[in-house]
Structures are given as structure tokens and as C-alpha cells.
Amino acid sequence: MNIVITGASRGIGRELIKRYLNRANKIYAIARDEEKLKELKKISNKIEIISLDLANLDKVREVSKYLGDKEIDLVILNAAISLPHSPNFTPFEDFKRSFDVNFLSIHALLEYIVPSMQKRKRGKIVFISSLASLIASPTSLPYSATKRAINSYAQSLRNLLAKDNIKVINILPGFIKTDMTAKNNFYMPFLMELEDGVDRIQKAIEKNYKEYAFPKRFYYLIKLFTFLPLNLQDKLLQNLVK
């Protein structure tokens, strides 16, 4: 099995690489931090590291072309950036970078991988979205927007590729202890340990869940919120920026 994992140098991506090493012929580990990737490379010669800034979409497309010839069986699109929560309007350059990394790079990376899977009539594509995609937080405008875009993209792609026997899985985690969440200076309900979070992600991948949100208690609370009248939702969300 040949696997591609983005955001591979730390956190969820790094843990997934360790989990899949015994089952993989080759893992293509993509991340921006070259030093962290070199550390990862020492673990196994099955790991091929690709240092790449996902905001550079032309370079991402070049990597896609390279990977298109590698008969990729599984792609885990884990990489994302998150700006600090802020009540201020996001500057354009920060907003653009968030969309380039979190969303547009996905299509660029899949450009040559998907046609290869279609020819072989097999493959699996996994998106790591977020429970943050279900509520449009006013203090994390670009992150919520990019993750919600992923939900739509994943559903579209799943139904587009069903005829080709390609599985598309969208995973929506809550808060997991990683470098990203360590930067948050607010209370994170149901914060999970990395190993527990990755256990659930791996289970969703293995069982081919079309969509999997966790932890369930947090997910159900969010769903209850979305059933509230829009005026009430807005009033509650506006309290975040006071």
C-alpha cells in the first residue's frame, strides 16, 4: 500500500505515519518543516519525505504530478493552519494563505492522484475537517470557512468517484492535543489526547465511514446549537466578539 499524508511532521500526521508503517510499502510524508521531516525519515526507509509549503500551489501541482505515477492507494489530507482567534477582521493575505493551505492545496494535490486511482478503480481519500466547520465562529473566520468548504468538497468528491470504487471519507474531530491546539488560550471542551484522537481517525478510515464526527458528546451539543433559530444562534455567537 502506498500512502500520502500531509501535515506529516508532527501531531496527527506524524502519529498516523507510525500507525501505518507496518502496512505500507511507501509513505510519502508531506510537510513544510524540513528538519522535522528529516527526523521522521530516520524512523524507516519506507518514508519518503517531501518538504512543501502547501500555499505554493504551483509546487503542490508538481508534487501531484510526481505522485500520480506512484499508484497511491490512500491519501490522508491532514495539513491545516489556524490563525489565533480574534475579534478583528482578517487581513486579506492571512485569509488567502488559510484558503490556499487548508483548501485549495487539496485539489492541487489530488490533480494527478485522482485520475490514477480512477484508472485502477481503487483508492481511498481521507479529509481531516473539524467540528469547527459546523459552527461559523466569528473569531476564527478563515478556519471555519475552509473547513466548511472541505465538507462540501468531500461530499461532492465522494459521489463523483463512487462509480470508480474510490472511497472518500470526511472526518470531523473536536479538540485534540497538538501543537495547533496548544496555541489556544481559551477553554477547549472535551479536549482529547493525541493517541485517543488518532485511534478514532484510524477506525473511521479502516471502516470506510463516509463521515465521522467526534467526540460524540461535543458533536451532539453542536448539532443542538444548529437547530436553534438563527436569531438566537447569532446572538450567542456575537457574544464571542464582545
Side-chain angles (χ1 to χ4, degrees), residues 164-175:
D164 299 308
N165 193 38
I166 298 170
K167 307 298 183 185
V168 176
I169 298 165
N170 190 29
I171 301 176
L172 294 79
F175 294 111

Side-chain angles (χ1 to χ4, degrees), residues 2-171:
N2 295 325
I3 304 173
V4 173
I5 299 178
T6 68
S9 62
R10 62 190 73 205
I12 292 170
R14 188 183 183 93
E15 183 66 21
L16 282 167
I17 286 175
K18 293 178 181 177
R19 302 284 183 99
Y20 278 102
L21 262 180
N22 290 337
R23 299 169 54 187
N25 298 317
K26 179 74 75 173
I27 297 180
Y28 298 93
I30 299 175
R32 186 175 56 169
D33 191 331
E34 191 169 1
E35 291 305 312
K36 288 286 186 183
L37 283 175
K38 287 178 180 177
E39 293 174 13
L40 194 60
K41 175 68 177 172
K42 295 175 184 177
I43 297 175
S44 171
N45 58 12
K46 290 183 178 181
I47 301 172
E48 180 174 329
I49 61 173
I50 300 175
S51 179
L52 178 65
D53 182 352
L54 291 173
N56 188 336
L57 298 178
D58 288 336
K59 288 291 184 183
V60 177
R61 294 179 70 196
E62 289 177 13
V63 169
S64 176
K65 192 170 185 178
Y66 170 71
L67 294 173
D69 297 326
K70 304 301 179 184
E71 295 195 351
I72 302 302
D73 301 291
L74 170 63
V75 181
I76 304 177
L77 298 156
N78 164 69
I81 58 173
S82 178
L83 300 172
H85 281 246
S86 171
N88 300 318
F89 190 67
T90 308
F92 175 78
E93 288 301 326
D94 291 340
F95 192 88
K96 181 179 183 300
R97 180 170 178 80
S98 293
F99 256 88
D100 287 347
V101 172
N102 295 6
F103 183 62
L104 293 179
S105 69
I106 287 173
H107 194 75
L109 188 62
L110 293 177
E111 183 177 12
Y112 292 91
I113 295 174
V114 165
S116 172
M117 287 182 172
Q118 288 177 304
K119 288 178 183 176
R120 291 177 286 122
K121 298 294 182 184
R122 71 175 191 272
K124 189 179 294 189
I125 300 169
V126 179
F127 296 87
I128 306 297
S129 181
S130 170
L131 288 182
S133 66
L134 302 179
I135 296 180
S137 170
T139 59
S140 61
L141 179 63
Y143 187 78
S144 293
T146 57
K147 292 299 185 178
R148 187 169 290 195
I150 285 173
N151 296 349
S152 176
Y153 185 93
Q155 183 176 17
S156 296
L157 194 67
R158 181 172 66 249
N159 291 298
L160 176 69
L161 301 181
K163 66 184 185 303
D164 299 308
N165 193 38
I166 298 170
K167 307 298 183 185
V168 176
I169 298 165
N170 190 29
I171 301 176

